């Protein structure tokens, strides 16, 4: 028996249903909306296999593997045409699934083809084609020295995108008591990760270079789910030309952010109702 995939969204008491699988979606409203994705057969109640998500205001998503940039390009064009959205971003934030023994051991995310494949995949995305002039580009790296070279070194990602390093943000992972999760001198596990921040060129004829002494900042935050980074929306907005009106894309996203576009194969994961308490006293 064939399956029917359908999507239901609700806002201000009204309900809309679409009986086909939707890989991209945009909420143009100033309020969050409830999104239900369900699969059913003739013998099965659709509610029994429904998944419920919350889509923040003016946020959108493209659900799909990041190693298929042509699909992203097509869906993104559809969304921008339908909702009159900008086709270039003032901010692009990436959290690639870098090869990691710990993550592989825990089976948290797919380790796709190792470092050579991942770097080729990142280059195939043509991120530079989506950057506004002077856009801010951020990419998370682990503490492995080789990753820094893949991003900042000769023929690295920033060079390919014509982006120059301006700052480094260090996320210190702490306990709820404010203490580092691991010994900072531990040779195997470090209690921090690094976000490399760069600026795109102001025009097509300028070649960007890295700052000799990039500014460094420290963020202290308690991690929740494995490898999920803290929300940086409020910290990033002062870097935008207009903090109240800018375009942003998060790549390899696993949650939606108000006002941002998100792309990834788990893009709705942490917007699922199962990850949120129903009331303030629920843990």
């Amino acid at each position: 028996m064939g399956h029917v995939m359908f999507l239901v969204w609700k806002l201000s008491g009204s309900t809309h249903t679409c009986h086909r699988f939707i890989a991209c979606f945009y909420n143009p409203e100033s309020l969050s909306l409830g999104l239900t994705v369900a699969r059913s057969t003739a013998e099965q109640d659709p509610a029994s296999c429904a998944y419920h998500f919350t889509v923040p205001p003016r946020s959108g998503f493209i659900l799909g593997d990041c190693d298929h940039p042509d699909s992203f390009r097509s869906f993104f064009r559809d969304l921008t045409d339908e909702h009159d959205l900008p086709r270039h971003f003032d901010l692009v934030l990436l959290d690639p699934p870098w090869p990691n023994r710990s993550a592989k051991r825990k089976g948290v995310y797919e380790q796709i083809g190792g470092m050579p494949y991942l770097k080729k995949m990142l280059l195939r995305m043509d991120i530079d084609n989506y950057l506004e002039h002077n856009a801010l580009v951020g990419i998370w790296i682990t503490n492995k020295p080789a990753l820094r070279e893949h991003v900042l070194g000769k023929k690295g990602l920033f060079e390919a995108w014509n982006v120059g390093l301006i700052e480094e943000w260090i996320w210190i992972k702490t306990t709820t008591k404010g203490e580092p999760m691991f010994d900072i001198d531990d040779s195997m596990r470090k209690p921090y990760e690094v976000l490399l921040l760069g600026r795109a060129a102001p025009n097509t004829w300028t070649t960007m270079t890295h700052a000799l002494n990039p500014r460094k900042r420290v963020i202290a935050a308690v991690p929740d789910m494995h490898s999920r980074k803290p929300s940086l929306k409020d910290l990033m907005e002062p870097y935008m030309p207009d903090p109240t009106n800018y375009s942003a894309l998060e790549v390899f996203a696993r949650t939606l952010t108000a006002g941002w576009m998100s792309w990834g194969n788990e893009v709705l994961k942490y917007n699922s109702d199962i990850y949120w308490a129903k009331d303030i006293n629920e843990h």
Side-chain angles (χ1 to χ4, degrees), residues 16 35 63 128 240 261 273:
H16 308 270
L35 184 71
L63 176 62
D128 51 315
M240 297 296 98
M261 189 71 66
D273 287 0

Side-chain angles (χ1 to χ4, degrees), residues 84-142:
D84 193 25
L85 300 171
R87 289 194 171 177
H88 296 86
F89 296 100
D90 300 300
L91 167 65
V92 174
L93 185 64
L94 304 97
D95 183 18
W98 301 115
N100 181 299
R101 284 197 303 269
S102 173
K104 187 173 184 179
R105 208 166 40 239
K106 296 177 181 178
V108 175
Y109 51 67
E110 185 181 3
Q111 300 289 304
I112 44 177
M115 190 61 234
Y117 179 85
L118 183 56
K119 186 175 180 181
K120 288 180 182 177
M121 179 177 72
L122 288 162
L123 291 172
R124 285 199 310 269
M125 290 179 181
D126 295 327
I127 292 295
D128 51 315
N129 288 340
Y130 299 98
L131 298 179
E132 189 58 81
H133 293 321
N134 287 315
L136 188 68
V137 179
I139 183 165
W140 286 100
I141 62 171
T142 65

Side-chain angles (χ1 to χ4, degrees), residues 14 29 88 94 106 113 144 171 174 184 189 197 221 238 253 258 270:
S14 61
E29 306 294 339
H88 296 86
L94 304 97
K106 296 177 181 178
K144 192 174 181 181
W171 169 33
T174 68
I184 202 163
R189 303 183 72 182
L197 279 179
Y270 293 119

Side-chain angles (χ1 to χ4, degrees), residues 132-135 161-163 199-204 206-208:
E132 189 58 81
H133 293 321
N134 287 315
W161 300 335
N162 197 16
V163 170
R199 279 285 184 196
N203 47 56
T204 57
T206 297
T207 299
M208 301 299 287

Side-chain angles (χ1 to χ4, degrees), residues 4-10 16-25 33-40 45-55 61 63 256 267-269 271-273:
V4 176
M5 299 291 298
F6 66 91
L7 177 147
V8 181
W9 61 96
K10 297 182 180 180
H16 308 270
T17 304
C18 180
H19 285 266
R20 61 185 176 87
F21 180 74
I22 295 182
C24 60
F25 187 83
L33 59 80
L35 184 71
T36 298
V37 179
R39 181 177 66 180
S40 67
D45 178 3
S48 66
C49 55
Y51 301 89
H52 307 284
F53 306 90
T54 298
V55 180
F61 66 82
L63 176 62
L256 305 181
V267 75
L268 286 168
K269 182 171 182 176
N271 291 88
S272 170
D273 287 0

Side-chain angles (χ1 to χ4, degrees), residues 58 64 74 112 129 142 145 162 205 227 237 246 250-251 261:
R58 297 189 176 94
S74 175
I112 44 177
N129 288 340
T142 65
N162 197 16
W205 59 86
S227 78
E237 286 184 340
Y246 67 95
E250 184 172 4
V251 186
M261 189 71 66

